[in-house]
Amino acid sequence: MACLASCACPPEARMLVERPDFRTPEAAGRSFLAAVGCDDAAAEYRCLSEALKRDHGATLDAWVIGRVEARREIGGLVLSRASSLEFLGSRATEAGLLTEWGFGGRPRLGLLMVEQHYFDLYDDRGPLAGELLEQAPGAYLRSEGTRLILEIPGALPKRTPPLAEVVRLELGTEWKLRDLVALDSGG
């Protein structure tokens, strides 16, 4: 029986588990559903928004325990076919963007997705510094003539990393899961 999750995990879902895509609400939702379908708690956790983690005190350990309730909310039929759910559309709400997923055009599950803005600095060994940002990346950019200037006040730790060793800077927005929303009471 230990093979159930890994055997039922199609190759395209396994790829999303290993390399999730958070560029759009649909892609982020598909990454979460692939993780659910493959029964991979750590991959599910990577899909959660910082707001959800903060509100529920969710560390990875807490998610591993608490995901039992989340999986119950998703429901048996949907859970068993999570990675094959169809994207049916999305709509804006006050809390975020609600993406709807289902089978044969029938909504079964809603994933409330929210934007997270961030920056990360890397050297050739890995991460040097990084932080979530309160505003979209464009709010931190300005131009002076032909120069592009990035200003993120308070973003660096007290001990400034060796900036001469920076090989990559990421400044972006990603979509993460804020909440599960039941759309259909069918099992």
Side-chain angles (χ1 to χ4, degrees):
M1 288 293 182
C3 182
L4 279 178
S6 61
C7 292
C9 187
E12 56 276 2
R14 176 57 48 203
M15 282 179 43
L16 272 176
V17 166
E18 293 171 8
R19 296 195 63 153
D21 182 353
F22 301 122
R23 292 177 293 175
T24 67
E26 179 184 353
R30 188 157 310 288
S31 294
F32 176 73
L33 292 169
V36 168
C38 294
D39 196 20
D40 189 320
E44 292 168 3
Y45 184 77
R46 284 191 299 273
C47 297
L48 305 181
S49 70
E50 292 304 313
L52 185 148
K53 293 174 188 175
R54 181 185 60 246
D55 291 353
H56 296 284
T59 60
L60 177 55
D61 292 342
W63 175 252
V64 169
I65 295 166
R67 72 194 275 262
V68 173
E69 180 61 29
R71 294 173 75 80
R72 191 175 303 121
E73 285 181 39
I74 293 172
L77 174 65
V78 173
L79 188 61
S80 68
R81 297 178 55 200
S83 63
S84 64
L85 283 167
E86 303 162 5
F87 175 69
L88 301 177
S90 60
R91 57 186 158 91
T93 71
E94 284 186 27
L97 193 73
L98 181 64
T99 60
E100 296 182 356
W101 303 83
F103 302 112
R106 182 177 173 206
R108 300 300 299 259
L109 179 66
L111 300 178
L112 184 63
M113 309 303 288
V114 294
E115 291 178 304
Q116 286 187 170
H117 312 294
Y118 68 94
F119 93 96
D120 290 314
L121 292 176
Y122 298 86
D123 66 10
D124 58 1
R125 294 174 303 278
L128 283 172
E131 189 164 315
L132 289 177
L133 302 172
E134 292 184 22
Q135 300 176 53
Y140 302 95
L141 296 171
R142 64 182 174 88
S143 63
E144 283 183 5
T146 59
R147 294 178 62 189
L148 179 63
I149 299 169
L150 171 64
E151 288 186 39
I152 307 175
L156 293 176
K158 290 183 189 213
R159 186 176 163 268
T160 304
L163 296 179
E165 296 178 18
V166 170
V167 296
R168 188 170 90 211
L169 161 70
E170 285 184 22
L171 178 66
T173 299
E174 58 188 7
W175 288 87
K176 297 286 185 115
L177 178 67
R178 179 67 171 101
D179 203 2
L180 298 171
V181 179
L183 298 177
D184 182 21
S185 59

